[in-house]
Amino acid sequence: MALLPLYPTLSHLLLKSEEFKCVCESLTAVSLLSSESIFVNPMSEVEKEKMEKCKRGFMVVEGDLLTLVNVYEKWKDVSMLMFIDSYAVRSMLIIRICKCNAPYRLV
């Protein structure tokens, strides 16, 4: 774990992911957690309410890590259809973060 340039908990997650057959999902979660927030940080109260509504649309009951994976998966599905920018604006996502994390996925 000491050889990986990550926080120890993220290193542990990656190392254990093979055991649970979830390497792709773990790579996505770790890469998103290692960068800045994937969501836009609004200033006004109206925008903050809109942000919370967008986040609830991505939420997964199993937890925050799978919610991040869900956000990436939905963005990836939309990116194949070439509606990336409008989807990201509607979902209040930072496009640059999604694009930077895309190469870390195996599939």
Side-chain angles (χ1 to χ4, degrees), residues 9 12 18 21 24 29 57 83-84 90 93 95 103:
T9 52
H12 183 72
E18 177 61 32
K21 307 292 186 237
C24 287
F83 299 118
I84 303 168
R90 276 195 326 271
L93 300 176
I95 301 168

Side-chain angles (χ1 to χ4, degrees), residues 92-103:
M92 298 188 82
L93 300 176
I94 300 174
I95 301 168
R96 177 179 47 83
I97 304 296
C98 295
K99 288 180 181 177
C100 288
N101 286 293

Side-chain angles (χ1 to χ4, degrees), residues 1-100:
M1 279 191 341
L3 296 176
L4 294 174
L6 299 168
Y7 289 110
T9 52
L10 298 180
S11 298
H12 183 72
L13 174 66
L14 283 180
L15 294 173
K16 286 291 191 179
S17 65
E18 177 61 32
E19 182 180 328
F20 294 102
K21 307 292 186 237
C22 59
V23 175
C24 287
E25 293 82 2
S26 296
L27 281 171
T28 300
V30 168
S31 68
L32 290 171
L33 287 171
S34 298
S35 61
E36 61 186 282
S37 175
I38 194 167
F39 292 104
V40 174
N41 190 10
M43 295 296 183
S44 71
E45 288 301 316
V46 174
E47 290 294 313
K48 285 181 183 180
E49 289 176 20
K50 182 180 175 186
M51 165 56 71
E52 290 304 317
K53 183 179 178 185
C54 289
K55 281 185 179 178
R56 280 193 299 273
F58 289 115
M59 283 188 182
V60 178
V61 294
E62 289 83 8
D64 293 340
L65 289 177
L66 291 178
T67 297
L68 279 176
V69 172
N70 188 38
V71 169
Y72 179 80
E73 289 293 333
K74 287 186 177 184
W75 174 82
K76 188 178 76 170
D77 292 344
V78 170
S79 70
M80 301 236 181
L81 299 172
M82 300 301 178
F83 299 118
I84 303 168
D85 293 340
S86 62
Y87 177 78
V89 169
R90 276 195 326 271
S91 302
M92 298 188 82
L93 300 176
I94 300 174
I95 301 168
R96 177 179 47 83
I97 304 296
C98 295
K99 288 180 181 177
C100 288

